[in-house]
Amino acid sequence: MARRGRAAAGGGEPRKDARTDSRRRGGRETLTAAVDGGSAALIPDPERPNGWSLEIDGAPQSHVDLDDPARLSFAYQRRLGHVIDLAAPPQQPLHVLHLGGGAFTLARYTAATRPRSTQQIVEIDAALVQFVRRELPLDPQARVRVRATDAREGLGRIQDGWADLVVADVFGGARTPAHLTSTEFLAEVCRVLKAGGQYAANLADGPPLAHLRGQVATAAAHFPELALAADPAVWRGRRFGNAVLVASDRPLAVAELTRRVASDPHPGRVEHGRALADFTGGAAVVTDAGAKPSPVPPPSVFR
């Protein structure tokens, strides 16, 4: 799943760090802090000397390897990494807006694989931002700005046509907040994208996949080119899981994205074109007036 954060605007004052967990892995302690979205923990990776997993209230959010920020451990983050890789020729710097920060995993990945990129992170949980900055500091050479505010509010502050890529990975209580699922939200995304820019979103749903179908239909109202990557079991409606939606006003590198997703350690499937339109099945475009948060994941997802 993606990182957790509250849906309301404003992060408030960061809370004082409260390290209470003395578990050790490889000689390193688990680091904990009270954050605005709950209780955050940075758990040392026993196989990576400088690797850490971020959990909030026991739910895994992301993984960071400070020695190798180009290494992405979570399946959905690898898929978003493929989107970053294919957004422009290799090494070409990008302007990237990240809605949702977590442990800044994808911003670190972009800085490592596309030096001189300019990035902005919008993360509502100010206490989480403080915790991650302190314990897992960003490379001082990376051009990354972090704003502690609501994702849609932060999006509204970005100038027209600034971004080559907008990445949305925002969850509040393990659900995508309703105001980040609507056609009005995507109109703002389109406003800040350059011509040929791309929008990528981490979505979560389970059977009967009504939320996912609605999100594809809503994106199709703004972007002529769409692709959706997910595990086969999610596609078949057999389990709850993540899906990565990619959208643009220009043709996407669908063949290469398909190859990369299929060759991941946990292979996925990419649909686009007519097959994706058929999957949508006439789902209605989501508006602010009728928007709902994404479904509550079953408890088994976090076990």
Side-chain angles (χ1 to χ4, degrees), residues 70 81-96 108-118 143 164 260:
H82 299 326
V83 174
I84 294 167
D85 292 345
L86 299 173
Q91 297 291 308
Q92 179 176 312
L94 295 175
H95 284 189
V96 185
R108 299 175 200 269
Y109 178 86
T110 304
T113 59
R114 294 183 177 277
R116 303 183 310 283
S117 290
T118 300
R143 300 168 63 179
D164 296 294
R260 293 186 182 210

Side-chain angles (χ1 to χ4, degrees), residues 116-172:
R116 303 183 310 283
S117 290
T118 300
Q119 303 184 77
Q120 296 192 47
I121 297 172
V122 179
E123 167 56 62
I124 193 171
D125 195 326
L128 178 63
V129 169
Q130 184 185 65
F131 179 50
V132 171
R133 275 189 177 279
R134 181 176 63 250
E135 304 297 349
L136 306 178
L138 287 163
D139 182 342
Q141 302 302 315
R143 300 168 63 179
V144 180
R145 178 181 180 182
V146 186
R147 293 179 175 179
T149 190
D150 170 76
R152 190 154 160 181
E153 182 179 325
L155 178 65
R157 297 178 184 175
I158 306 297
Q159 68 188 65
D160 294 3
W162 180 84
D164 296 294
L165 177 64
V166 174
V167 179
D169 185 15
V170 186
F171 285 75

Side-chain angles (χ1 to χ4, degrees), residues 11-32:
E13 289 298 317
R15 301 180 185 179
K16 185 178 180 180
D17 179 38
R19 296 185 195 176
T20 58
D21 193 328
S22 60
R23 290 177 294 167
R24 288 180 176 270
R25 294 188 182 183
R28 295 179 293 158
E29 289 188 357
T30 292
L31 308 174
T32 64

Side-chain angles (χ1 to χ4, degrees), residues 21-99:
D21 193 328
S22 60
R23 290 177 294 167
R24 288 180 176 270
R25 294 188 182 183
R28 295 179 293 158
E29 289 188 357
T30 292
L31 308 174
T32 64
V35 298
D36 298 331
S39 177
L42 287 170
I43 301 171
D45 184 337
E47 298 180 356
R48 313 288 297 191
N50 219 358
W52 299 86
S53 292
L54 172 66
E55 293 185 359
I56 298 184
D57 287 348
Q61 308 298 318
S62 58
H63 180 277
V64 170
D65 186 348
L66 297 181
D67 293 333
D68 184 8
R71 181 178 182 269
L72 299 176
S73 296
F74 286 16
Y76 87 86
Q77 289 184 327
R78 282 195 299 272
R79 289 165 191 166
L80 287 169
H82 299 326
V83 174
I84 294 167
D85 292 345
L86 299 173
Q91 297 291 308
Q92 179 176 312
L94 295 175
H95 284 189
V96 185
L97 173 63
H98 301 268
L99 302 179

Side-chain angles (χ1 to χ4, degrees), residues 274-301:
R274 179 59 182 272
L276 188 55
D278 290 345
F279 166 79
T280 306
V285 171
V286 177
T287 65
D288 275 345
K292 298 178 181 178
S294 62
V296 178
S300 59
V301 169

Side-chain angles (χ1 to χ4, degrees), residues 177-200:
H179 68 306
L180 304 180
T181 68
S182 68
T183 187
E184 291 89 347
F185 164 70
L186 284 182
E188 277 293 283
V189 170
C190 290
R191 179 186 63 78
V192 306
L193 282 174
K194 299 177 182 179
Q198 296 183 17
Y199 169 67

